[in-house]
Amino acid sequence: MEKNIYIVLTNTGTLFSRAIGVYTRKELNHASIAFDEQLNEMYSFGRKNKNNPFVGGFIKENTMEGLFKRATCAIYKCHVTLQEYNQMQDKIRHMEQQKELYKYNLIGLFGLAMNIEIERQYAFFCSQFVATVMNECNLSDLHIPPCFMQPHHFEQLSSLEIMYKGCLQTYVKTKRPQEERIQVRSWEQRGFQIQA
């Protein structure tokens, strides 16, 4: 049986994202992995609080709020076996259960910029994390070590098929039932934070 995973590259327009863009000279500088087409189960390493870029780690991302509200994106689909899909989900579940241990690998970003391999057990930057999870299924065309993986490298993988490019909110609105979008908007108007 075959399943799909989704690699989501985004530009949130933050100062940090723009700074990375100056180095990479690429538009999309954040990478996430999702296990459903609607992006309800989307994970990465990034800021834990939208107002504080200095506290980061493992996060389950909500495409309907925060920095994603104005994001542009490219969404890629990758076919995997059920066993590979389950292996990747197990890795995510394990990290989620121990998420307090995980930190954002800012030191690793400096290593990447200087072409020095820096691996830290409980620290990842976004594209390093996605590549590490994908390595659970030994994708044959993932030739770059995770510590050197940048978001634009995913665009070059033959195992990935482009599904969509454009405004993230436009994509989400076409994939999620209208009742769900209305319910989320209604709760947000009352001042509640919705966690996906």
Side-chain angles (χ1 to χ4, degrees), residues 94-107:
H94 179 73
M95 294 175 89
E96 197 167 29
Q97 288 167 1
Q98 299 183 315
K99 62 183 174 185
E100 68 283 347
L101 293 175
Y102 290 93
K103 307 291 180 223
Y104 190 83
N105 192 9
L106 195 56
I107 295 169

Side-chain angles (χ1 to χ4, degrees), residues 3 8 25 35 57-59 69 92 123 138 144 155 177 192:
K3 299 279 284 183
V8 183
R25 297 180 182 173
F35 291 91
F58 175 85
I59 49 174
K69 283 186 176 177
I92 295 285
N138 299 315
I144 301 171
E155 297 173 329
F192 292 97

Side-chain angles (χ1 to χ4, degrees), residues 167-185:
C167 173
L168 179 61
Q169 292 307 304
T170 301
Y171 173 84
V172 170
K173 287 172 184 170
T174 63
K175 295 296 178 184
R176 295 188 183 177
Q178 186 166 354
E179 316 84 68
E180 179 185 336
R181 299 196 310 269
I182 290 170
Q183 184 180 11
V184 167
R185 195 161 46 248

Side-chain angles (χ1 to χ4, degrees), residues 38-189:
Q38 296 77 27
L39 310 182
N40 287 313
E41 273 197 77
M42 189 167 90
Y43 302 90
S44 191
F45 268 66
R47 60 176 78 191
K48 292 188 172 185
N49 181 321
K50 70 175 184 177
N51 299 317
N52 186 349
F54 301 106
V55 179
F58 175 85
I59 49 174
K60 182 176 183 184
E61 296 178 313
N62 185 340
T63 57
M64 299 293 285
E65 65 180 28
L67 301 173
F68 288 118
K69 283 186 176 177
R70 296 182 183 175
T72 55
C73 72
I75 301 170
Y76 294 84
K77 178 168 59 175
C78 179
H79 303 297
V80 296
T81 66
L82 180 59
Q83 181 182 355
E84 290 167 340
Y85 184 88
N86 289 337
Q87 283 176 306
M88 286 186 278
Q89 279 210 317
D90 287 346
K91 176 102 176 159
I92 295 285
R93 299 290 171 253
H94 179 73
M95 294 175 89
E96 197 167 29
Q97 288 167 1
Q98 299 183 315
K99 62 183 174 185
E100 68 283 347
L101 293 175
Y102 290 93
K103 307 291 180 223
Y104 190 83
N105 192 9
L106 195 56
I107 295 169
L109 278 183
F110 289 114
L112 173 65
M114 295 182 289
N115 205 31
I116 299 170
E117 188 168 337
I118 299 176
E119 295 276 359
R120 298 169 64 205
Q121 185 176 5
Y122 295 109
F124 296 89
F125 50 85
C126 64
S127 50
Q128 179 186 26
F129 160 73
V130 173
T132 300
V133 173
M134 289 179 76
N135 272 346
E136 288 296 306
C137 66
N138 299 315
L139 287 175
S140 60
D141 61 346
L142 198 60
H143 298 302
I144 301 171
C147 66
F148 292 130
M149 198 74 175
Q150 297 175 46
H152 68 271
H153 289 143
F154 292 105
E155 297 173 329
Q156 301 162 12
L157 299 181
S158 61
S159 58
L160 298 187
E161 172 190 339
I162 185 76
M163 281 181 53
Y164 175 83
K165 192 165 188 175
C167 173
L168 179 61
Q169 292 307 304
T170 301
Y171 173 84
V172 170
K173 287 172 184 170
T174 63
K175 295 296 178 184
R176 295 188 183 177
Q178 186 166 354
E179 316 84 68
E180 179 185 336
R181 299 196 310 269
I182 290 170
Q183 184 180 11
V184 167
R185 195 161 46 248
S186 172
W187 279 96
E188 284 177 343
Q189 287 170 351

